[in-house]
Amino acid sequence: MPPARKAAIDSLALEKVHDLSKYISKIGDKETSFSEANRVIERALELFVEDAQMGVSTLGKKQIRYFDIKKYLERLNKLNYKSVNIEWFDIQYISDLEKQPDGRYVGVITIYQKFTGVTEDGMVYKDITKKDITVYVERKTTQIGGREIGFWDVLLGDIRVSETKKG
């Protein structure tokens, strides 16, 4: 892949991860109406390959649970906290895109997620989770003015938990 194309694809992949970060914050925000959260969930789902999963961890527990992305986002919207704040930071590529036999390219982006939840009685839960996001880059086509135009698109895959620590 030519360096200029790779730079453009890297930029698009990071942009999609930033979009997901904004969507997750909006969905988790208790000020967001139910209908708005559902609209944002649908937008977030457009970022993913089919069957992608999100890893969820809790401080003090070794178990990592994986949920279908839609189920994860719906659960996020219903968390039993008075307020929820979710921030993603230090977003970076940790692996170069590698070409697969099917012609797609696959890479991994690492992010850190800071979660803060406050219960009705004022108890605060905080953690920071390191997550690895699989990124798929594939060639697609669209019709514009009767002509078929090819382009590269980026979709997100599984989001795996690699570590959780106190926030």
Side-chain angles (χ1 to χ4, degrees):
M1 183 178 295
R5 180 171 294 139
K6 183 186 178 317
I9 288 170
D10 287 353
S11 177
L12 179 59
L14 291 170
E15 183 181 318
K16 292 211 175 187
V17 169
H18 283 287
D19 287 348
L20 178 61
S21 173
K22 288 187 285 188
Y23 294 154
I24 283 176
S25 292
K26 186 83 170 162
I27 294 163
D29 184 345
K30 295 303 170 189
E31 299 295 312
T32 303
S33 71
F34 181 75
S35 61
E36 175 68 2
N38 282 333
R39 188 188 69 74
V40 174
I41 287 170
E42 291 306 314
R43 292 291 310 270
L45 292 173
E46 294 171 5
L47 299 172
F48 287 90
V49 296
E50 197 174 322
D51 299 329
Q53 295 189 321
M54 171 74 81
V56 176
S57 59
T58 304
L59 278 175
K61 294 184 180 178
K62 289 189 187 277
Q63 179 190 20
I64 298 170
R65 297 173 61 198
Y66 285 90
F67 296 94
D68 167 83
I69 293 295
K70 184 172 186 174
K71 185 166 188 80
Y72 165 79
L73 295 171
E74 290 170 347
R75 285 174 49 92
L76 177 63
N77 183 246
K78 297 173 186 164
L79 283 177
N80 205 10
Y81 289 100
K82 180 175 78 174
S83 69
V84 170
N85 185 38
I86 299 168
E87 297 173 48
W88 282 13
F89 61 95
D90 201 12
I91 299 169
Q92 58 189 309
Y93 259 105
I94 60 163
S95 77
D96 282 332
L97 295 170
E98 293 183 21
K99 190 168 188 172
Q100 304 300 300
D102 65 2
R104 291 194 300 182
Y105 289 83
V106 177
V108 177
I109 293 176
T110 294
I111 62 104
Y112 288 85
Q113 174 183 288
K114 182 176 182 180
F115 177 93
T116 306
V118 180
T119 63
E120 288 293 336
D121 59 2
M123 199 170 106
V124 178
Y125 173 88
K126 290 183 181 184
D127 72 26
I128 294 177
T129 305
K130 181 180 177 186
K131 294 187 174 188
D132 296 327
I133 304 171
T134 304
V135 176
Y136 297 93
V137 180
E138 55 190 47
R139 194 88 175 127
K140 293 187 174 180
T141 59
T142 188
Q143 291 278 339
I144 298 178
R147 291 184 38 216
E148 194 168 281
I149 307 292
F151 65 98
W152 289 96
D153 194 17
V154 175
L155 292 170
L156 306 178
D158 290 343
I159 300 179
R160 303 249 172 236
V161 171
S162 56
E163 149 184 36
T164 301
K165 58 187 180 183
K166 272 192 151 173

